[in-house]
Amino acid sequence: MGKLNLYDTQKQTIVELQSRIRACERGAFAHSTRSLTTGCDALDTLFPGQGVRQGSLVEWLGDSNASGAGTVSLMTGRRVCPAGRPLVLIDTRHDLFPLSLSLLGFDLSRLILIRPASEREALWACEEALRCEAVGVVWANIEQITSTSFRRLQLAAEDSAGIGFLVRSAKAVHQPSWAEVRFKVHPRPSMCSSPGFQVEVISHHGKPHHSMADIMIDNWKGTLYENRNSANPLPLVPRMDVATTRRRSTGT
Amino acid sequence: MRTGTQRILCLWFPEWTLQRLVVARPELDRCLLLLTERMQQGEFVRYGNRLAQKRGVRVGMPVSEARTFFRPRDRIIMEAVQPPQDRQALIELALRCERFSFRIGLEETDHPESILMDVTGVAQFFSGEQGLAEELARALSNKRYNSRIAISETIGSAWAAAHFLAGPLQPVVIPAGELNRLEPMPVMGLRLDDSTLTKLQRLGIQTIRQVLALDRASLTSRFGAEIVTRLDQLRGRRPETITPCHPLPTYRVERNLEEGISHPEAIQQLWSLLLRQLLDLLTPKCLGTRHLECRFIMEDRTSQSLSLRLCEATNDQQHIADLLRLQQEKLRLSSPVVVLIIEALDVSPLETIQQELFDGGTRGHARQFSMLVNRLSSRLGAEAVLVPCLLPDPVPERAVQMHRVSDANSAESTTFPARFHGVDRPTALFPEPRPVEVIAMLPDGPPAVMFWQGIRFDISYSTEPERIESGWWDGEYVCRDYYRVETSSGQWLWVFRHLQDHLWFWHGEFF
């Protein structure tokens, strides 16, 4: 174990003070909860507790097709899921591709995929799963959530010290939310073999807050990392790799 | 799941149909006995005794042809084969062997010839497994049965050893951990169907060792899933159980009403009462149920059922009642209920709880999770609560199979080739590929601009194409060039060009 330096002590103090402020603002938490790192420092700093707090909900909003909100939230969910606990994915759109999840490092034997027939059923399943202490992370893409339903989800998560990730479209930004933090994910041109995203904080504890991080997916490790070259002032030159060699994958 | 401590005895009666008749009527042994089977093309010889074979009669020969081999003085007896009687006689014989095992059943085929016995822990009463097998062989020989006996650690290996290693009054015992002794045996020892055996023989594959040397993925794609299942069963990597011959007790309660009831609360009260009665039958025996059926018969003689499948055996009345209540909400009864029947279809001891869905974690967590899955399956339907399983198929829409959670233990995922990495497949795959219009800078090149439902996507980056092609034997032939493309605003899409008609489709995205 490394020596604790001044920087670490300061960071720890800030986190403690932040958690005290949170407790004053929203009432003390029933459980002593801890924050789990997402494995990407840039993303961690966007969370109030420098990581995903157990017993909280996180909202991920995406603009349109291929916004990246679902992908980033899934990868974060995998990273913060406590060891030995299953992940429950509520796939309302019925298009989650488990093969991709396997390539991104998910253990499919510890994963339950729920494909409900309606958003109402999805909401019920989400609350039931959040209420179960045995579940590590509950991930759901649900569009319509009333304030009362949201509050029920938040209380369920807090009771079980579980983690809930909700993926919604950007239209939901004006709707009331009980999420600890709301992110908006924008796709960012990366011009390389991995997608890049910008994660922007919309609100902390329901209060407007603005900070952002540029992140990318590590194609080899299946993890997220900070894209430090995003401030490159050079214009993006369209590039097309014409096929020279072809990879073949056949059933033989 | 490896069942290392289990010991299975396989008792094979070659040509059981013939043996059954000869043992019952010993005088038949001195006759020319033919057992025939009527098929669409006519009547054929199914079995012939030693005398018939001596005369030149062969199995599969038309009866008319067999008659030409008869001699004038031969006493000929021809009978039709009777599979139900054969099975019943084998069951009766199995039940007479109960002193050798606490669990006896027949092999699971249409025409069984073997009895399977679980002899785990029984051998000590017979001075070892060899002693047990020899005593059984002697007892059967005294009754004029011709049998082959083998003991091994799995049903598959015991069956193979009985058929290909054991001799008359020469039982074979394969010690635990020595299943590799079966590898030189012929592939027939794998209990495969005739068509698979023919294909293997045509490819020159004669022994189990040769099959084991082949790639599992290619075995599945060429011969179907059965061959891999049989290999796994032989080596104890896939569980296989003996279905006991003894009729199992039924756990069923029923209430007939003089007047029908239609009020939901009254119906709920009635099934609560019956549920308590049913669980009172199970609880003293420390049994629980994994499958419960609740049948409502209405005044108009129509009926409706609620089927409840659980992750593990339980006799928790409150939990089962909660799950039934969730299902009752979906019930639409056309007229008042006059009969209610509740039956526990799958009953097992509470101690021997099924393999945990998720290993690790505390027992309390596993139980909580089971209860959650039961609740979700009851309300949303078992088809909505799934466990994904990867298949060795390169075509994306066929690469994943969804299993119900209750069937998850039997599901086995394959592994994707190691050359693929994190973002080689999109996180969302559309149920149907979306047809798109594409403008490419070069013929047969990657897309430069894409249009879908009036939306324009300017492509700024594209990976090299990945050709995905199915095997000709897989049914619908697929040959596509897939590209991962990035739009000018950074969206990542997965598109393909159909090589037969050069049409473009959008198949997935990093949503």
Side-chain angles (χ1 to χ4, degrees):
Chain A
M1 199 165 165
K3 199 175 165 184
L4 203 65
N5 61 30
L6 187 63
Y7 174 74
D8 287 336
T9 320
Q10 281 177 346
K11 201 174 165 186
Q12 203 177 353
T13 311
I14 290 167
V15 171
E16 271 176 31
L17 287 171
Q18 280 175 334
S19 67
R20 280 192 203 177
I21 292 165
R22 267 203 315 277
C24 294
E25 280 178 346
R26 308 191 77 174
F29 299 117
H31 301 279
S32 59
T33 53
R34 63 192 177 102
S35 294
L36 303 165
T37 176
T38 63
C40 172
D41 286 344
L43 202 55
D44 278 347
T45 53
L46 299 183
F47 285 91
Q50 306 296 309
V52 183
R53 187 178 62 80
Q54 284 188 305
S56 69
L57 296 178
V58 180
E59 225 180 323
W60 305 80
L61 310 177
D63 244 332
S64 55
N65 293 313
S67 66
T71 306
V72 173
S73 59
L74 280 167
M75 294 180 72
T76 311
R78 180 185 76 83
R79 189 68 172 75
V80 300
C81 184
R85 302 271 187 96
L87 256 127
V88 174
L89 307 182
I90 301 167
D91 177 21
T92 315
R93 294 183 355 175
H94 295 206
D95 62 0
L96 259 182
F97 192 25
L99 174 54
S100 159
L101 300 182
S102 169
L103 293 176
L104 287 170
F106 281 78
D107 179 358
L108 295 189
S109 64
R110 288 182 182 273
L111 186 149
I112 292 282
L113 197 60
I114 297 173
R115 291 191 158 164
S118 65
E119 288 230 323
R120 192 163 158 250
E121 284 191 346
L123 200 58
W124 176 84
C126 187
E127 190 181 330
E128 289 290 321
L130 278 171
R131 219 173 275 288
C132 178
E133 286 178 21
V135 176
V137 172
V138 181
W139 179 99
N141 49 2
I142 305 175
E143 205 48 54
Q144 299 297 327
I145 311 179
T146 62
S147 181
T148 314
S149 305
F150 220 131
R151 175 65 171 154
R152 286 175 66 94
L153 295 182
Q154 191 251 331
L155 287 175
E158 208 165 289
D159 275 353
S160 63
I163 294 169
F165 282 5
L166 300 168
V167 179
R168 306 174 73 189
S169 77
K171 288 176 202 161
V173 73
H174 301 298
Q175 292 177 15
S177 169
W178 284 89
E180 182 160 272
V181 58
R182 304 180 92 186
F183 293 122
K184 191 169 177 189
V185 183
H186 311 272
R188 297 289 285 175
S190 61
M191 304 297 288
C192 65
S193 59
S194 281
F197 308 99
Q198 185 181 65
V199 182
E200 182 190 359
V201 180
I202 303 290
S203 65
H204 267 178
H205 307 304
K207 293 179 183 172
H209 185 101
H210 290 283
S211 55
M212 55 183 70
D214 278 310
I215 56 171
M216 287 193 75
I217 297 176
D218 185 325
N219 191 21
W220 301 97
K221 295 180 190 165
T223 53
L224 295 169
Y225 68 96
E226 186 178 3
N227 180 14
R228 295 177 194 279
N229 302 323
S230 60
N232 188 349
L234 291 174
L236 298 171
V237 182
R239 181 161 58 107
M240 278 184 297
D241 287 356
V242 178
T244 48
T245 55
R246 293 182 168 202
R247 273 193 290 169
R248 250 176 115 82
S249 61
T250 64
T252 50
Chain B
M1 188 176 68
R2 193 170 175 82
T3 51
T5 53
Q6 200 178 29
R7 302 298 290 165
I8 303 291
L9 183 147
C10 178
L11 173 58
W12 174 46
F13 298 94
E15 297 185 327
W16 165 246
T17 310
L18 213 54
Q19 279 203 52
R20 173 177 77 85
L21 289 173
V22 173
V23 170
R25 292 145 61 193
E27 70 278 6
L28 291 182
D29 214 14
R30 292 185 293 277
C31 305
L32 198 151
L33 175 63
L34 290 185
L35 295 181
T36 63
E37 189 176 26
R38 179 163 290 283
M39 297 165 86
Q40 271 187 342
Q41 296 87 349
E43 201 172 7
F44 292 86
V45 176
R46 181 76 188 270
Y47 297 102
N49 69 352
R50 218 174 328 162
L51 187 58
Q53 286 171 20
K54 206 173 158 187
R55 291 278 185 272
V57 178
R58 296 283 173 265
V59 174
M61 187 181 268
V63 172
S64 53
E65 191 184 342
R67 283 180 197 280
T68 61
F69 293 97
F70 299 164
R71 291 182 188 169
R73 285 189 179 181
D74 284 342
R75 216 180 126 205
I76 300 153
I77 293 181
M78 269 200 285
E79 287 185 12
V81 287
Q82 295 173 311
Q85 279 85 336
D86 294 340
R87 173 181 280 272
Q88 189 53 39
L90 198 60
I91 289 174
E92 282 167 16
L93 185 57
L95 295 178
R96 275 156 57 197
C97 294
E98 271 188 325
R99 73 184 178 98
F100 295 97
S101 167
F102 54 87
R103 192 179 182 90
I104 300 183
L106 306 190
E107 64 171 322
E108 290 182 356
T109 62
D110 295 338
H111 304 285
E113 288 194 330
S114 301
I115 293 173
L116 301 168
M117 304 183 190
D118 191 336
V119 292
T120 313
V122 178
Q124 54 181 316
F125 303 111
F126 297 87
S127 64
E129 289 178 342
Q130 192 69 37
L132 185 153
E134 282 170 3
E135 189 171 330
L136 179 60
R138 266 197 306 275
L140 291 166
S141 177
N142 291 340
K143 301 275 181 194
R144 296 170 47 87
Y145 285 110
N146 173 22
S147 63
R148 308 280 189 278
I149 298 173
I151 300 179
S152 185
E153 60 190 285
T154 63
I155 292 176
S157 58
W159 190 93
H163 283 69
F164 297 98
L165 291 181
L169 291 170
Q170 287 176 334
V172 171
V173 175
I174 298 178
E178 292 188 21
L179 288 180
N180 53 357
R181 280 172 56 180
L182 301 173
E183 287 180 12
M185 287 201 320
V187 282
M188 278 83 85
L190 286 175
R191 297 179 288 165
L192 299 170
D193 59 44
D194 289 343
S195 63
T196 310
L197 285 173
T198 312
K199 275 188 209 169
L200 287 169
Q201 275 170 359
R202 205 181 299 150
L203 293 169
I205 296 166
Q206 304 288 339
T207 63
I208 294 174
R209 182 174 289 155
Q210 285 174 297
V211 181
L212 286 170
L214 296 173
D215 174 46
R216 284 172 69 90
S218 84
L219 272 178
T220 309
S221 60
R222 282 169 189 268
F223 301 103
E226 190 205 3
I227 189 164
V228 177
T229 306
R230 290 302 193 195
L231 280 175
D232 289 346
Q233 286 173 342
L234 180 89
R235 293 185 290 174
R237 292 180 183 175
R238 190 180 292 239
E240 191 179 7
T241 52
I242 298 172
T243 309
C245 292
H246 246 313
L248 294 170
T250 52
Y251 296 94
R252 173 187 157 113
V253 286
E254 182 176 338
R255 177 66 62 92
N256 288 285
L257 303 172
E258 286 178 10
E259 281 187 30
I261 51 169
S262 52
H263 198 278
E265 279 185 14
I267 294 171
Q268 188 180 325
Q269 205 166 1
L270 180 62
W271 65 246
S272 298
L273 187 74
L274 289 184
L275 180 63
R276 192 160 56 238
Q277 286 177 12
L278 179 76
L279 295 178
D280 284 346
L281 297 176
L282 299 175
T283 310
K285 296 176 183 170
C286 292
L287 296 172
T289 180
R290 290 186 75 224
H291 186 188
L292 197 81
E293 195 172 75
C294 203
R295 193 153 164 248
F296 300 86
I297 299 175
M298 270 84 73
E299 271 180 357
D300 57 5
R301 307 316 295 168
T302 58
S303 69
Q304 284 201 36
S305 298
L306 295 180
S307 183
L308 195 67
R309 285 181 184 275
L310 304 158
C311 284
E312 61 178 30
T314 181
N315 61 3
D316 183 340
Q317 189 185 346
Q318 186 63 41
H319 181 49
I320 297 174
D322 281 348
L323 300 175
L324 279 176
R325 212 168 291 126
L326 285 171
Q327 291 219 359
Q328 196 194 336
E329 288 171 16
K330 292 187 278 184
L331 205 65
R332 297 283 174 269
L333 300 173
S334 53
S335 62
V337 176
V338 286
V339 182
L340 179 58
I341 303 162
I342 302 185
E343 186 171 10
L345 295 172
D346 184 354
V347 173
S348 57
L350 288 171
E351 286 81 7
T352 52
I353 287 162
Q354 303 294 314
Q355 188 186 352
E356 296 296 349
L357 182 66
F358 295 99
D359 298 330
T362 64
R363 181 76 194 94
H365 276 163
R367 174 128 186 87
Q368 274 188 34
F369 193 75
S370 274
M371 289 171 80
L372 169 70
V373 172
N374 289 338
R375 281 179 68 75
L376 294 172
S377 303
S378 293
R379 167 84 181 253
L380 309 178
E383 296 74 21
V385 185
L386 304 160
V387 175
C389 172
L390 302 186
L391 299 178
D393 196 322
V395 181
E397 56 268 36
R398 298 187 213 148
V400 180
Q401 195 172 34
M402 295 293 183
H403 290 269
R404 293 171 175 197
V405 175
S406 52
D407 305 334
N409 290 342
S410 60
E412 194 177 331
S413 240
T414 185
T415 49
F416 212 56
R419 67 176 185 278
F420 290 95
H421 299 285
V423 295
D424 285 344
R425 292 290 179 271
T427 42
L429 186 82
F430 305 139
E432 290 292 327
R434 299 171 178 175
V436 287
E437 298 287 326
V438 159
I439 299 171
M441 298 296 279
L442 297 168
D444 295 341
V449 184
M450 192 176 103
F451 297 91
W452 177 71
Q453 292 189 348
I455 305 170
R456 177 186 169 116
F457 297 95
D458 290 305
I459 310 296
S460 58
Y461 173 79
S462 167
T463 59
E464 291 171 7
E466 178 193 346
R467 180 157 299 175
I468 290 184
E469 192 174 3
S470 64
W472 55 265
W473 55 87
D474 288 337
E476 192 192 353
Y477 179 64
V478 167
C479 189
R480 304 166 180 164
D481 271 352
Y482 275 89
Y483 296 84
R484 273 182 294 135
V485 298
E486 185 181 32
T487 66
S488 54
S489 54
Q491 297 156 302
W492 274 72
L493 316 175
W494 205 43
V495 297
F496 72 83
R497 188 162 58 94
H498 211 250
L499 291 186
Q500 284 100 324
D501 50 20
H502 300 281
L503 293 175
W504 284 87
F505 294 87
W506 177 14
H507 204 177
E509 63 181 14
F510 290 85
F511 75 114

